[in-house]
Amino acid sequence: MKKNRKNLALLLLAASLLAGCAGQSNSQSSQSSQAKSEKKAESKASSKSAAKSAASSAVSSSAVSSTKSSSSQASSKSAASSSQRADVNRMGTLTSQLRVKLPGMLLPAADGLGQGSSNLNIRYTSSSSQNVVYYSVGNSPLALNDSRIANEKPYAVLTEKKNVADASSLINYQEPKTGLPAVKIASNVTGTEEGAAGSTYLQFNQGQWSFVVRASNVQGQKPLPTAQKLLALYQQYGLPDTAAKSSVQVDVGESLGSLNTVITWAKGSSVYQLKAHSMETAFKMLKSLN
């Protein structure tokens, strides 16, 4: 009986020890799980913090980049504006000097150029019977009438012949032709065409002005496209007021130094003539004449 009690006591003691170990193990496991959860939470928080930091950095970088881009664009616009002002001022400065040298002569305020205005150069000759002004573009801007300008090809030449007794002999106005093939230039403008000496001449008249376009048959040129452009420029820019019937003569083909556009008109007792390397340049210059 005593022996059985002793065995029972031993069994109870062993059970108690096993229960204690199990509780301790469960506690350690719980602590381990809690520690892992806390690490995961810390990791997530750290990740979120890093993401916010990266986003903030990206926004800051974008703002800096945008500011630099805006500053660069503003700088470019300012430089372009300054360049345009310099181009205008150069033509204005040279023309002001010309007015002193050639008092009373009509002069253009615009150079008529699409590019190269910053290197615009002007020279002139003057006598009791005529004034001649040469406009050119060089490698660098030179003073009015610098001797080196004579080596540059002029893109335009403006001449004033003074005290002319018979303006018609210099202007070469062409009366409207009859009995020749008609050519429609625009919906309300019709010209005439004729061939002579290897060329084709297309003529039309507007008000006090006759317009003649010459095309080379040998080079396979056609006068109509040039005549249509010429009419459009006339309608856009107009031509100087004239005291007599005046003329515009154009050879098809434009190139530097060609001076293929010739516009001649009378003003008072003077006859003016502008030769230019392109029709558009000529019309732009004459639009600003004063």
Side-chain angles (χ1 to χ4, degrees), residues 167-168 171 173 208-209 240-247 264-268:
S168 61
I171 292 176
Y173 172 84
Q208 289 278 80
W209 293 85
D241 293 333
T242 175
K245 293 180 177 180
S246 302
S247 69
T264 313
W265 73 101
K267 184 70 174 180

Side-chain angles (χ1 to χ4, degrees), residues 29-45:
S29 176
S30 175
Q31 291 176 356
S32 176
S33 297
Q34 183 177 357
K36 287 181 180 181
S37 297
E38 290 176 353
K39 284 184 179 181
K40 285 183 179 180
E42 289 178 358
S43 178
K44 287 182 179 180

Side-chain angles (χ1 to χ4, degrees), residues 110-120 136-137 155 277 281 284-285:
D111 59 29
L113 294 170
Q115 58 183 3
S117 296
S118 58
N119 287 333
L120 169 71
S136 60
V137 174
Y155 70 84
H277 75 141
T281 292
K284 285 180 177 179
M285 294 180 76

Side-chain angles (χ1 to χ4, degrees), residues 123-199:
R123 67 182 180 91
Y124 70 93
T125 61
S126 182
S127 68
S128 59
S129 61
Q130 71 173 19
N131 298 321
V132 185
V133 182
Y134 302 85
Y135 298 84
S136 60
V137 174
N139 294 322
S140 61
L142 301 172
L144 178 68
N145 245 26
D146 188 295
S147 60
R148 290 170 289 180
I149 300 176
N151 297 321
E152 299 174 355
K153 283 186 177 181
Y155 70 84
V157 179
L158 178 63
T159 301
E160 177 195 17
K161 292 188 180 294
K162 308 173 188 177
N163 304 314
V164 176
D166 182 13
S168 61
S169 64
L170 298 174
I171 292 176
N172 195 30
Y173 172 84
Q174 301 292 310
E175 293 288 350
K177 300 290 195 302
T178 59
L180 294 173
V183 177
K184 189 174 184 179
I185 299 170
S187 59
N188 58 343
V189 179
T190 300
T192 57
E193 188 176 87
E194 65 178 325
S199 298

Side-chain angles (χ1 to χ4, degrees), residues 146-274:
D146 188 295
S147 60
R148 290 170 289 180
I149 300 176
N151 297 321
E152 299 174 355
K153 283 186 177 181
Y155 70 84
V157 179
L158 178 63
T159 301
E160 177 195 17
K161 292 188 180 294
K162 308 173 188 177
N163 304 314
V164 176
D166 182 13
S168 61
S169 64
L170 298 174
I171 292 176
N172 195 30
Y173 172 84
Q174 301 292 310
E175 293 288 350
K177 300 290 195 302
T178 59
L180 294 173
V183 177
K184 189 174 184 179
I185 299 170
S187 59
N188 58 343
V189 179
T190 300
T192 57
E193 188 176 87
E194 65 178 325
S199 298
T200 299
Y201 295 85
L202 178 54
Q203 177 185 332
F204 62 95
N205 292 62
Q206 295 283 288
Q208 289 278 80
W209 293 85
S210 67
F211 299 80
V212 178
V213 176
R214 186 188 74 85
S216 170
N217 297 336
V218 176
Q219 297 181 36
Q221 296 173 341
K222 301 296 180 183
L224 181 57
T226 299
Q228 291 172 329
K229 181 180 179 181
L230 176 57
L231 176 61
L233 289 169
Y234 169 67
Q235 293 173 337
Q236 178 180 357
Y237 293 102
L239 283 168
D241 293 333
T242 175
K245 293 180 177 180
S246 302
S247 69
V248 179
Q249 296 173 298
V250 177
D251 284 353
V252 175
E254 298 179 350
S255 61
L256 180 62
S258 64
L259 303 180
N260 282 346
T261 295
V262 181
I263 301 174
T264 313
W265 73 101
K267 184 70 174 180
S269 61
S270 294
V271 171
Y272 284 86
Q273 183 179 84
L274 177 66

